[in-house]
Amino acid sequence: MNADERQHQIVALARRQGEVDVAKLAAELSVSAETIRRDLRLLEKHGLLRRTHGGAYPVETAKFETDLAMRTTRGVPEKRRIAAAAVGLIGDAETIFIDEGFTPQLIAEALPIDRPLTVVTASLNTAAWLSTNSPATVLLLGGRVRGRTLATVDHWASSMLAGFVLDLAFVGANGISREVGLTTPDPAVADVKARAVRAARRRIFVGMHTKFGVRTFCRFAEISDFESLVTDTGLPASEAHRYSRLGPQVIRV
């Protein structure tokens, strides 16, 4: 197996498993750990993987996006803390957009139940949970359902959002960087997110530290569009300060 074939296999394994480990890769591919580390450095340079201590995880691209099932198994304690901190920022908002994805779904589950709320969402899971477990009025955006995330997209969803004036939007992203802003791999998803950003008076980004410094295919918002970025303590304080200089407060939990 040459280097190109080995690196292709490493990316395939990372995308299938959600992450890879240097020692396990070295044993499986019959090469040294240092060879694997060189491969990971090169793959990170090409924007396909992000390295961690002892391994790497896949970066989402126009051709690859994790599904909802995988997202529900990674970083769940951190995502719950992010969701709780985000809900603490609701203030006097009564009309709220909740984005697709697992962390936004956790926000829905943490919403207060002692006040009237209207929630607009593209997420089937979020709409179903709120309809069963919350007194909130739930508006599910229409459109084509993406099997990967169980969320609606295309012109039906976008046109519905265009008719709303919302107090607050909780928005996620596949990538957020100081250079290009917030991005997602799918143009249809990007359009729904962009419409939500435009419709809302206040916007809060929610996402793991692994989203930071990542760029994917479609840009839908600037960092300065957001009043707050809520993430976990895996984002270094120095990097959080750099993002805060672009406008939003950065909350690490």
Side-chain angles (χ1 to χ4, degrees), residues 72-208:
T72 62
T73 63
R74 301 184 63 194
V76 176
E78 292 88 347
K79 291 174 180 177
R80 290 195 182 279
R81 292 200 303 271
I82 291 168
V87 168
L89 301 174
I90 284 179
D92 61 358
E94 295 181 352
T95 55
I96 299 171
F97 172 79
I98 297 182
D99 205 355
E100 66 170 54
F102 183 56
T103 303
Q105 182 179 322
L106 295 175
I107 289 174
E109 295 176 9
L111 288 176
I113 60 174
D114 59 348
R115 52 188 290 190
L117 294 174
T118 296
V119 176
V120 178
T121 186
S123 166
L124 274 65
N125 282 358
T126 292
W129 192 94
L130 286 172
S131 297
T132 304
N133 299 283
S134 167
T137 299
V138 183
L139 301 179
L140 176 63
L141 299 177
R144 173 175 60 90
V145 178
R146 300 177 73 234
R148 186 168 293 278
T149 59
L150 295 180
T152 55
V153 291
D154 292 338
H155 69 273
W156 298 277
S158 298
S159 62
M160 283 185 69
L161 273 172
F164 294 140
V165 179
L166 301 167
D167 293 329
L168 175 62
F170 290 113
V171 180
N174 300 76
I176 175 172
S177 74
R178 289 181 283 116
E179 295 78 15
V180 301
L182 283 74
T183 56
T184 192
D186 190 314
V189 175
D191 186 57
V192 172
K193 291 176 183 287
R195 297 271 187 170
V197 168
R198 289 199 292 271
R201 177 170 56 88
R202 299 169 52 212
R203 308 104 177 181
I204 295 172
F205 166 80
V206 290
M208 292 274 290

